[in-house]
Amino acid sequence: DSGVTQTPKHLITATGQRVTLRCSPRSGDLSVYWYQQSLDQGLQFLIQYYNGEERAKGNILERFSAQQFPDLHSELNLSSLELGDSALYFCASSPGVSNQPQHFGDGTRLSIL
Amino acid sequence: DQQVKQNSPSLSVQEGRISILNCDYTNSMFDYFLWYKKYPAEGPTFLISISSIKDKNEDGRFTVFLNKSAKHLSLHIVPSQPGDSAVYFCAATYNFNKFYFGSGTKLNVKP
């Protein structure tokens, strides 16, 4: 158990809809990272938050947004969903922004029908 | 742009032998590299890392080698065990901002 909790585990929805994925980091971790893993591909870095502030942005679409709340949990919002958004979405957390490794949740599997 | 590449989608090794997983990168700015292991239906688990100022880091059965001139790193597992069967991802970062992951190598250790 990594200590990172992601909900829901599975999400099935239709094109054009909007969903929110939630992540609770490990106790004490201030950094939260979001990744997308499409079928048979590596993890694509989406965005990083540190203590409530956006710190780094990767290949995140404009239809996607995220935030980190004062209690340090984070949400990833995906809107105007397309078939290609079907993927595993992972959240990871780390204590800070140095060479401390990230600890990953078990992911949310999003299926767009 | 695929800045980190794992060109071998799969690798099969006999138990007790050495497993060598390879990773290539293109960005010379990367200053920290990591390996993660992933079992089905679980998130990746951190395995070992190396700073760009080193060329080798060892942790038990796991050793990571970094060749900066070739922009290549490898993970050696000795001896390999059936429990090591998983997908292995290499990752790279500079300044611990964005992290770039390879597409993974599925290791199968046969008893």
Side-chain angles (χ1 to χ4, degrees), chain A residues 33 35 37 40-45 48 55-58 88 90 97-99 101-102 104-106, chain B residues 1-2 32 34 36 38 41-46 49 89 95-104:
Chain A
Y33 309 77
Y35 294 88
Q37 185 184 21
D40 293 334
Q41 293 191 15
L43 283 76
Q44 297 292 321
F45 170 74
Q48 178 198 4
R55 186 170 184 268
K57 215 170 206 180
L88 259 174
F90 287 104
V97 292
S98 65
N99 64 344
Q102 298 170 34
F104 282 79
D106 289 341
Chain B
D1 60 342
Q2 195 73 10
Y32 203 73
L34 310 94
Y36 285 83
K38 185 182 182 302
E42 294 182 10
T45 303
F46 170 74
S49 61
F89 292 98
N95 205 27
F96 302 100
N97 281 332
K98 303 176 184 181
F99 285 78
Y100 297 85
F101 280 73
S103 55

Side-chain angles (χ1 to χ4, degrees), chain B residues 18-34:
Chain B
I18 183 172
S19 295
I20 300 176
L21 297 99
N22 294 303
C23 181
D24 296 297
Y25 61 95
T26 57
N27 192 335
S28 58
M29 296 289 291
F30 288 143
D31 55 11
Y32 203 73
F33 304 87
L34 310 94

Side-chain angles (χ1 to χ4, degrees), chain B residues 27-83:
Chain B
N27 192 335
S28 58
M29 296 289 291
F30 288 143
D31 55 11
Y32 203 73
F33 304 87
L34 310 94
W35 283 94
Y36 285 83
K37 179 169 74 172
K38 185 182 182 302
Y39 293 118
E42 294 182 10
T45 303
F46 170 74
L47 203 53
I48 192 169
S49 61
I50 187 167
S51 164
S52 61
I53 64 173
K54 296 186 175 182
D55 55 19
K56 177 183 174 181
N57 188 26
E58 197 170 351
D59 183 1
R61 298 187 295 115
F62 303 91
T63 303
V64 56
F65 295 92
L66 176 63
N67 182 334
K68 287 190 293 292
S69 60
K71 295 190 178 70
H72 177 85
L73 69 156
S74 60
L75 174 68
H76 293 210
I77 306 174
V78 184
S80 301
Q81 299 174 354

Side-chain angles (χ1 to χ4, degrees), chain A residues 18-32:
Chain A
R18 172 189 169 95
V19 297
T20 297
L21 312 184
R22 182 187 168 99
C23 171
S24 294
R26 283 191 327 162
S27 177
D29 283 359
L30 299 178
S31 280
V32 169

Side-chain angles (χ1 to χ4, degrees), chain A residues 14-107:
Chain A
T15 55
Q17 295 299 304
R18 172 189 169 95
V19 297
T20 297
L21 312 184
R22 182 187 168 99
C23 171
S24 294
R26 283 191 327 162
S27 177
D29 283 359
L30 299 178
S31 280
V32 169
Y33 309 77
W34 285 98
Y35 294 88
Q36 179 193 55
Q37 185 184 21
S38 300
L39 189 63
D40 293 334
Q41 293 191 15
L43 283 76
Q44 297 292 321
F45 170 74
L46 295 178
I47 197 162
Q48 178 198 4
Y49 280 84
Y50 174 72
N51 204 20
E53 299 290 327
E54 180 184 307
R55 186 170 184 268
K57 215 170 206 180
N59 298 324
I60 186 167
L61 300 172
E62 286 191 11
R63 299 183 286 109
F64 296 1
S65 65
Q67 55 184 323
Q68 187 180 27
F69 295 87
D71 68 352
L72 301 176
H73 91 272
S74 178
E75 292 181 356
L76 178 66
N77 300 297
L78 315 176
S79 62
S80 302
L81 287 169
E82 302 175 359
L83 292 176
D85 297 328
S86 295
L88 259 174
Y89 290 86
F90 287 104
C91 167
S93 73
S94 68
V97 292
S98 65
N99 64 344
Q100 296 144 320
Q102 298 170 34
H103 296 267
F104 282 79
D106 289 341

